[in-house]
Amino acid sequence: MTADRVRTLFNRIAPVYDQLNTSLSLGQHRVWKQMAVKWSGAATGDHCLDVCCGSGDLALLLADCVGLQGHVIGIDFAAAQLAIAQQRAQARYPQPSITWQEGDALALPFPANHFDAATMGYGLRNVTDIPRSLRELQRVLKPGAKAAILDFHRPSNAMIRTLQQWYLEAIVVPAAQQFDLTDEYAYIAPSLDRFPTGSEQVMLARQAGFAAATHYPIAGGTMGVLVVMKG
Ligand SMILES: C/C(=C\Cc1cc(O)c2ccccc2c1O)CCC[C@H](C)CCC[C@H](C)CCCC(C)C
Ligand SMILES: C[S@@+](CC[C@H](N)C(=O)[O-])C[C@H]1O[C@@H](n2cnc3c(N)ncnc32)[C@H](O)[C@@H]1O
């Protein structure tokens, strides 16, 4: 799938993206995102980056960590997703210290060695060049800084893999049908088939220049968090 088609897909699903995530994961996606933010090491006063921020879930959680003394930049190339993120942030008091920026994860508009921590939630599987995205993430982190990359993947356990595929086919795609988004949500399954396993992600992270990389399976192995650190 080309970058333009990915952008179009996420612009199209933006109005119902959050509500479907919540209903389809029974609210668990918030827990998985909180885990990723915790593992990023973001702390009070930090300057953090949320890559492929979408409607802003992880950026808003990062902002809670860094407080008003810190700052978070959420970057995404789907304007409709960023508009939702902006609305959600503006509904908060006090206004979180976040900048929403339209941009490409494959060419981050930031200097090298700039961020204290970063997150990427369900974004790495959707970029068109995973090694380049990892190299960009490594470039913009400060030495010693970490990033937590949360995403789905195919579990190694055959029974859980079958259950995951059943859930996607029998629950997720039919649920999207009510919003005429069947094709958009049917994209998830083949995207999982193409996505590297946990150990492959670790190898890709090391090849991208990260000094350390560990993959933590969560949600019964249907997802995972790749925690990387810049040397
Ligand atoms: C926040 C979640 C998914 C984000 C997401 C990621 C994508 O790449 C998409 C692509 C196209 C359309 C939508 C998305 C998208 O929303 C996770 C929660 C929502 C999931 C759709 C729920 C699916 C649950 C998993 C398949 C795990 C099943 C567990 C099994 C029953 C053991
Ligand atoms: C599944 S959403 C994840 C959104 C959010 N991180 C979350 O956890 O809900 C994937 C996001 O990645 C964005 N995306 C995909 N490829 C991108 C790229 N090359 N540059 C910037 N954003 C990209 C899409 O526009 C979409 O908003």
Side-chain angles (χ1 to χ4, degrees):
M1 186 177 274
T2 65
D4 277 344
R5 289 189 63 190
V6 171
R7 180 190 291 109
T8 300
L9 184 152
F10 285 102
N11 278 328
R12 262 180 59 79
I13 71 173
V16 298
Y17 175 77
D18 292 325
Q19 74 180 76
L20 275 176
N21 281 343
T22 299
S23 57
L24 291 168
S25 70
L26 306 178
Q28 288 306 295
H29 73 108
R30 294 198 183 93
V31 175
W32 303 329
K33 291 170 179 176
Q34 284 161 2
M35 292 167 75
V37 168
K38 185 85 176 166
W39 282 335
S40 75
T44 303
D46 280 355
H47 284 237
C48 298
L49 176 65
D50 181 24
V51 184
C52 299
C53 66
S55 59
D57 276 352
L58 285 113
L60 289 162
L61 289 170
L62 284 171
D64 292 342
C65 287
V66 305
L68 297 179
Q69 313 94 305
H71 190 69
V72 177
I73 296 177
I75 189 164
D76 199 295
F77 68 5
Q81 290 278 348
L82 288 172
I84 301 262
Q86 180 90 45
Q87 286 169 9
R88 296 173 72 195
Q90 284 172 345
R92 295 194 170 198
Y93 182 84
Q95 283 283 292
S97 176
I98 300 179
T99 300
W100 306 105
Q101 188 163 347
E102 193 169 340
D104 190 341
L106 303 183
L108 293 172
F110 309 112
N113 307 312
H114 188 70
F115 293 101
D116 298 298
T119 53
M120 193 171 187
Y122 304 100
L124 193 64
R125 182 173 36 85
N126 291 299
V127 300
T128 55
D129 185 337
I130 291 174
R132 184 171 171 184
S133 182
L134 290 170
R135 287 196 301 273
E136 275 294 276
L137 195 53
Q138 195 272 355
R139 178 180 66 81
V140 301
L141 283 172
K142 287 179 180 177
K146 290 189 285 185
I149 302 167
L150 163 66
D151 221 317
F152 285 118
H153 58 259
R154 288 295 191 194
S156 51
N157 178 295
M159 190 161 61
I160 296 179
R161 184 191 183 101
T162 302
L163 187 58
Q164 183 190 58
Q165 186 58 26
W166 169 82
Y167 190 82
L168 288 168
E169 289 174 355
I171 308 294
V172 172
V173 173
Q177 204 165 9
Q178 66 187 304
F179 302 105
D180 191 24
L181 293 171
T182 309
D183 292 344
E184 287 77 2
Y185 279 77
Y187 155 83
I188 295 177
S191 77
L192 293 181
D193 293 332
R194 294 190 296 267
F195 196 51
T197 61
S199 54
E200 290 165 342
Q201 292 177 37
V202 168
M203 185 182 65
L204 288 169
R206 297 301 302 268
Q207 288 170 352
F210 284 104
T214 307
H215 183 266
Y216 299 97
I218 61 172
T222 61
M223 304 191 185
V225 182
L226 174 69
V227 180
V228 292
M229 187 180 76
K230 182 168 181 173

